Amino acid sequence: MKRLLTAAVLCTVLILGSVWSIRAVDNTAQAVALDVENDRLNEARETWDAAQTLLGALLLHSEIDQADRLFDRVLAAQQNGLTDEFSLDRAELLAQLRHLPEVQRPTLKNLF
């Protein structure tokens, strides 16, 4: 009976941890995307940089590195006054930020 109870507790802890990590990534990505949408790029970058430890523990580093490069391109285009490049890079950054929570969604492939 103790083994069954221990297994149930461990399973519950794992499920709760998974739900927490999904929500943490989703909330962070939404907050950064909202700042980018409202042209508060410096605030978005600060939020993004503050969340690096959390995101680095929960996501693939290639996804985070891609968003970092896009942030750099968006900020450079904004500083240089390149409106066409800024618009394209900004749209790509928003797509990447919206993609991050999807990377962590559980699928049958992940479960098995």
Side-chain angles (χ1 to χ4, degrees), residues 12-101:
T12 302
V13 168
L14 288 173
I15 290 170
L16 291 175
S18 296
V19 169
W20 171 82
S21 68
I22 289 170
R23 288 191 180 194
V25 170
D26 193 33
N27 291 340
T28 302
Q30 282 182 5
V32 173
L34 184 64
D35 284 343
V36 171
E37 286 173 352
N38 293 322
D39 290 327
R40 296 188 307 254
L41 295 176
N42 292 328
E43 291 87 351
R45 186 60 190 233
E46 289 173 10
T47 304
W48 178 256
D49 288 341
Q52 287 299 307
T53 303
L54 173 70
L55 296 175
L58 299 175
L59 296 173
L60 297 171
H61 292 284
S62 60
E63 300 288 337
I64 296 169
D65 292 342
Q66 176 67 19
D68 280 334
R69 284 189 293 275
L70 288 169
F71 260 116
D72 293 340
R73 287 177 22 200
V74 167
L75 291 171
Q78 182 188 35
Q79 288 175 350
N80 294 330
L82 304 171
T83 56
D84 291 338
E85 288 181 26
F86 172 76
S87 296
L88 290 172
D89 290 339
R90 182 176 169 264
E92 192 174 346
L93 175 60
L94 286 170
Q96 178 68 17
L97 290 171
R98 290 185 183 115
H99 170 71
L100 289 177

